[in-house]
Amino acid sequence: MKLVRNIKRGEGPYCTGLKRLARQGLSLHLPVNRATRPLWRLCYGLHVTLRETWIWLRRFCWNEPLFRSQCESVGNGFQMEELPYLQGQGRIVVGARVRFSGKPQFAFNNRHFDAPELIIGDDTFLGHHADFRIAKSLRIGRHCLIAGGVTIADYDGHPLQAETRRSGQTSPLAEVRPVSIGDDVWIGSGAVVLKGVTV
């Protein structure tokens, strides 16, 4: 019984031995030395090749066609990685040589307009988890960089009055104001661009 109590408390020679064995087990590794290094380098190259091939195939054969099907037009040289998160229906126009990094998000509010517009100019970059909320219009110029984690919205998302929020209504039409980002604008990570702003 004393042995059982000691094991439960983590005490005694048996527990000490088990702890020592566990620490030794955690420190074990496959040897990488002069004899095995060429093999592991070959395996690493194979791993990278297979991973990059899978990423390219998934983008080329699945993600990009799915996104293009939701756009009115997409210019030459468009590049993307993951399939953007799309909510609602909108008019999307993407310029030439635009690049999406990671997974940007586009949410269209169709309460006031059937097809809110998102226009992205040539040579513009959108970062991972950049969040765009559009009820009427968001225009981004050429040669812009929108970093990861940026939020741009042309409406508040919810009414400011508590009673209106509780009834499930959206921002009124008078509170929807288009956002315009000019050419050569860079917006840093985590920035928030509010309704009616022109940069």
Side-chain angles (χ1 to χ4, degrees):
M1 292 300 292
K2 183 179 179 181
L3 175 60
V4 172
R5 284 197 301 270
N6 287 341
I7 290 175
K8 285 182 177 179
R9 289 197 299 257
E11 300 173 353
Y14 293 102
C15 288
T16 303
L18 288 173
K19 289 177 181 177
R20 187 180 299 113
L21 284 174
R23 282 194 296 269
Q24 290 174 353
L26 290 173
S27 65
L28 289 175
H29 57 80
L30 293 174
V32 179
N33 50 40
R34 184 176 297 178
T36 62
R37 184 170 284 110
L39 172 64
W40 291 117
R41 283 181 173 171
L42 179 64
C43 290
Y44 178 80
L46 179 62
H47 169 82
V48 171
T49 300
L50 290 174
R51 182 189 65 194
E52 294 298 322
T53 300
W54 165 245
I55 290 172
W56 183 85
L57 284 172
R58 186 179 62 180
R59 177 188 63 79
F60 183 78
C61 299
W62 188 250
N63 291 345
E64 193 170 315
L66 287 178
F67 179 71
R68 284 177 177 269
S69 73
Q70 303 302 303
C71 298
E72 181 176 295
S73 64
V74 178
N76 295 328
F78 173 66
Q79 297 180 38
M80 59 177 284
E81 295 175 359
E82 299 296 330
L83 182 65
Y85 177 72
L86 280 173
Q87 180 181 0
Q89 298 291 323
R91 175 176 175 260
I92 304 174
V93 176
V94 179
R97 298 171 301 279
V98 169
R99 186 156 67 95
F100 293 174
S101 175
K103 193 180 183 73
Q105 304 174 81
F106 307 107
F108 293 100
N109 181 339
N110 300 110
R111 295 285 186 93
H112 302 300
F113 300 93
D114 292 334
E117 65 174 13
L118 169 65
I119 313 295
I120 304 173
D122 299 344
D123 300 293
T124 285
F125 172 91
L126 303 185
H128 180 53
H129 277 171
D131 185 13
F132 305 92
R133 305 172 195 172
I134 308 144
K136 183 176 183 181
S137 175
L138 167 58
R139 291 175 173 262
I140 302 173
R142 298 173 298 166
H143 306 283
C144 293
L145 185 149
I146 312 298
V150 168
T151 297
I152 303 176
D154 68 354
Y155 70 108
D156 294 320
H158 298 284
L160 299 179
Q161 296 77 19
E163 297 81 6
T164 311
R165 286 198 304 272
R166 283 196 293 270
S167 65
Q169 298 183 43
T170 187
S171 296
L173 178 58
E175 295 298 318
V176 176
R177 302 192 189 107
V179 174
S180 178
I181 310 295
D183 296 341
D184 298 297
V185 172
W186 285 33
I187 300 178
S189 179
V192 177
V193 180
L194 302 176
K195 64 184 182 183
V197 168
T198 298
V199 182

